[in-house]
Amino acid sequence: MASPITKIRWLVKNMKILIACEFSGIVREAFTKKGHNAYSCDLLDSEYYGQHLKGDVRDYLDMGWDLMIAHPPCTHLAVSGARWFKDKVKEQKEALEFVELLMAAPIEKIAIENPISIISSKIRKPDQIIQPWMFGHGETKATCLWLKNLPKLKPTKIVEGRIARVHKMPPGPDRWKERSRTYKGIAEAMAEQWG
Ligand SMILES: C[S@@+](CC[C@H](N)C(=O)[O-])C[C@H]1O[C@@H](n2cnc3c(N)ncnc32)[C@H](O)[C@@H]1O
């Protein structure tokens, strides 16, 4: 049973948090473990049991959240797919509008996460670029953060490895899922520093 001091800390710190566009539950669970009232939201089911809103996140933005961390799809935005940009004008416009809508959500604190993408040139430059190797995973995957009322994320455990694991994954129907799951070390840093 939690001690009275733990209970008081829980009451003081408890925030209502939306993890937008998350099917893995990884960031949601990191905040839940810290005692926050965290929900993930995705068009897909959550692969990990917990508080999950299945549906279009645009229907859930106006629910009095204290913090939102959003992982919008990067399929039409990531510069790694630049050779197909000319065929994707409509999709890109819609993807950028979705990001702008998330950035403008009526929520006090917001972090938007995406790889190196045209968000930087079409909307604004990111506030920070982080790597998994700064948070205990010996891998590279440049990840941009656009922040509103949040401090930059401080590295928690810088490690030696620099494997480009996500670029080397074999093709398959679930490749995008394997590539897009948030690193646990980054999720824990978010919960520790932003919760
Ligand atoms: C790049 S993945 C992010 C995955 C995330 N990092 C995780 O660990 O689960 C983008 C996700 O956005 C979801 N998505 C796309 N449009 C959405 C919408 N309008 N509302 C909610 N989720 C959406 C997709 O289903 C996909 O799971």
Side-chain angles (χ1 to χ4, degrees), residues 21-24 42-43 55-57 71 73 98 176 180-182:
C21 305
E22 180 178 78
F23 66 86
S24 69
D42 201 288
L43 298 172
D56 192 324
V57 71
H71 310 276
F98 184 55
W176 75 270
S180 73
R181 269 190 205 95
T182 307

Side-chain angles (χ1 to χ4, degrees), residues 9-26:
R9 283 187 62 208
W10 188 84
L11 285 170
V12 171
K13 283 176 62 183
N14 186 280
M15 292 166 76
K16 190 175 166 190
I17 300 171
L18 175 64
I19 314 299
C21 305
E22 180 178 78
F23 66 86
S24 69
I26 293 170

Side-chain angles (χ1 to χ4, degrees), residues 15-116:
M15 292 166 76
K16 190 175 166 190
I17 300 171
L18 175 64
I19 314 299
C21 305
E22 180 178 78
F23 66 86
S24 69
I26 293 170
V27 180
R28 181 198 69 216
E29 286 310 294
F31 278 93
T32 303
K33 281 193 186 124
K34 292 269 172 202
H36 296 290
N37 186 16
Y39 287 77
S40 50
C41 174
D42 201 288
L43 298 172
L44 307 176
D45 287 319
S46 177
E47 23 172 64
Y48 193 83
Y49 178 78
Q51 299 195 123
H52 184 69
L53 302 164
K54 185 178 178 185
D56 192 324
V57 71
R58 287 170 283 203
D59 295 334
Y60 296 106
L61 295 175
D62 199 4
M63 287 176 56
W65 308 103
D66 298 305
L67 162 67
M68 172 175 73
I69 298 170
H71 310 276
C74 59
T75 319
H76 305 305
L77 302 175
V79 294
S80 54
R83 59 187 178 281
W84 292 291
F85 277 180
K86 64 177 172 20
D87 307 319
K88 290 184 165 185
V89 175
K90 182 171 170 282
E91 291 86 344
Q92 264 187 358
K93 184 171 175 285
E94 286 169 5
L96 283 167
E97 282 169 2
F98 184 55
V99 172
E100 283 177 313
L101 184 136
L102 292 173
M103 283 179 170
I107 300 172
E108 173 70 16
K109 298 176 181 187
I110 297 177
I112 310 279
E113 175 270 324
N114 229 232
I116 307 282

Side-chain angles (χ1 to χ4, degrees), residues 81 141 149 154 172 181:
K141 186 187 176 197
N149 293 330
K154 291 196 226 70
R181 269 190 205 95

